[in-house]
Amino acid sequence: MSLLFEEIDSQPSPLGEISLRRRRIPALGDRDIYEVKLGEEFLMSSMFVEAEEALSTLGLAKARGDQLDVVVGGLGLGYTAVAALNDERIAELLVVDALDTVIGWHRDEKVPLGKILNADARNRYVHGSFFDLATSPQTGFDPQQPGRKFDAILLDIDHSPTEYLNPANAGFYTTDNLALMAEQLTPGGVFAMWSQNLPEESFEELLGTVFESVESHVISFYNPFMSEESTNSVYVCIKSV
């Protein structure tokens, strides 16, 4: 193992080889940077987590009630899930991921936030396809309680609503399938979604066919590799009461 680079794990997956790496960049100081790659494509990095955290804070800011049941779609490096658990109103958090390898990294605490998630009794991992579960309201997200309703669903899987981690995900972004997912929200419940791109008007219009309220937020953060600000976005939608 180099002091500057380590491949912690690499496993085959239905989408291709997925790997977890740790590295240091001396110019950026004394910090470990964790990265996930799918084949040769970078999926996520602990360098840039502001928008992943904002997905939780912005989404849950619109959620009503004191005992919230919440779904996070896409575990990643755990930043969205940990940010959600910082909300004391959370009663239970289900974190859904299609890749058992990614869940295993957290359970085995190969990533830093795994220890936080494992220590919080409100957190539960669900191995499964978010998109399959989202469009099957009779069974739903919770294998222990079919048909369960949630106060918020927070999604961070695809790169954007028009750029997909898996081409099969494209079918989710329709009025019919978004409406099936919305059936699993309580009245006034929240759906929030991360995107690497600026808000897309066509997607806002699509969300408006299902949800009573749609807001888009631009999240800015400093990118040291480009020496300038970068942006992601978060869509926040509210179901009618």
Side-chain angles (χ1 to χ4, degrees):
M1 181 187 79
S2 165
L3 291 176
L4 297 181
F5 178 82
E6 175 190 12
E7 183 172 85
I8 298 171
D9 190 30
S10 181
Q11 299 287 339
S13 83
L15 300 178
E17 193 79 9
I18 188 166
S19 59
L20 173 67
R21 304 143 42 108
R22 179 202 62 81
R23 64 173 171 146
R24 290 196 171 192
I25 301 174
L28 300 181
D30 183 22
R31 59 179 291 193
D32 288 327
I33 300 167
Y34 287 82
E35 301 168 331
V36 176
K37 290 184 69 178
L38 184 63
E40 294 304 311
E41 180 181 8
F42 282 93
L43 290 187
M44 58 203 74
S45 169
S46 63
M47 277 286 296
F48 312 111
V49 302
E50 291 86 352
E52 285 83 353
E53 294 173 336
L55 173 60
S56 283
T57 55
L58 290 170
L60 294 178
K62 296 292 187 179
R64 305 175 180 182
D66 295 324
Q67 291 289 307
L68 302 179
D69 294 324
V70 177
V71 171
V72 167
L75 175 54
L77 290 170
Y79 286 93
T80 298
V82 168
L85 290 169
N86 286 336
D87 191 319
E88 295 180 353
R89 299 175 299 156
I90 297 290
E92 186 170 35
L93 183 75
L94 302 189
V95 186
V96 179
D97 203 285
L99 299 178
D100 192 47
T101 296
V102 175
I103 294 175
W105 290 339
H106 288 76
R107 282 184 170 146
D108 297 338
E109 299 181 2
K110 292 182 178 180
V111 292
L113 297 188
K115 182 174 292 187
I116 296 173
L117 293 175
N118 295 338
D120 197 317
R122 299 172 297 165
N123 178 66
R124 175 153 51 102
Y125 304 112
V126 175
H127 178 215
S129 164
F130 173 90
F131 300 106
D132 289 345
L133 301 178
T135 53
S136 303
Q138 290 78 17
T139 51
F141 292 107
D142 189 350
Q144 299 178 11
Q145 189 178 335
R148 182 180 178 186
K149 306 288 187 182
F150 294 88
D151 300 293
I153 298 172
L154 313 173
L155 176 59
D156 178 4
I157 294 178
D158 286 322
H159 305 306
S160 81
T162 52
E163 299 169 322
Y164 315 114
L165 181 62
N166 180 346
N169 298 350
F172 173 70
Y173 301 96
T174 65
T175 293
D176 288 346
N177 282 332
L178 288 166
L180 287 172
M181 179 198 65
E183 288 183 28
Q184 302 185 56
L185 286 170
T186 57
V190 175
F191 170 60
M193 192 181 102
W194 172 90
S195 171
Q196 69 178 5
N197 297 334
L198 291 171
E200 301 179 35
E201 183 177 354
S202 60
F203 186 55
E204 293 170 326
E205 292 174 353
L206 174 62
L207 292 169
T209 66
V210 176
F211 296 97
E212 183 176 64
S213 169
V214 177
E215 296 179 355
S216 299
H217 303 264
V218 176
I219 313 301
S220 299
F221 53 91
Y222 181 68
N223 186 333
F225 299 126
M226 302 176 67
S227 298
E228 62 182 23
E229 292 287 303
S230 291
T231 57
N232 292 163
S233 60
V234 173
Y235 300 91
V236 180
C237 312
I238 301 176
K239 180 180 175 179
S240 61
V241 176

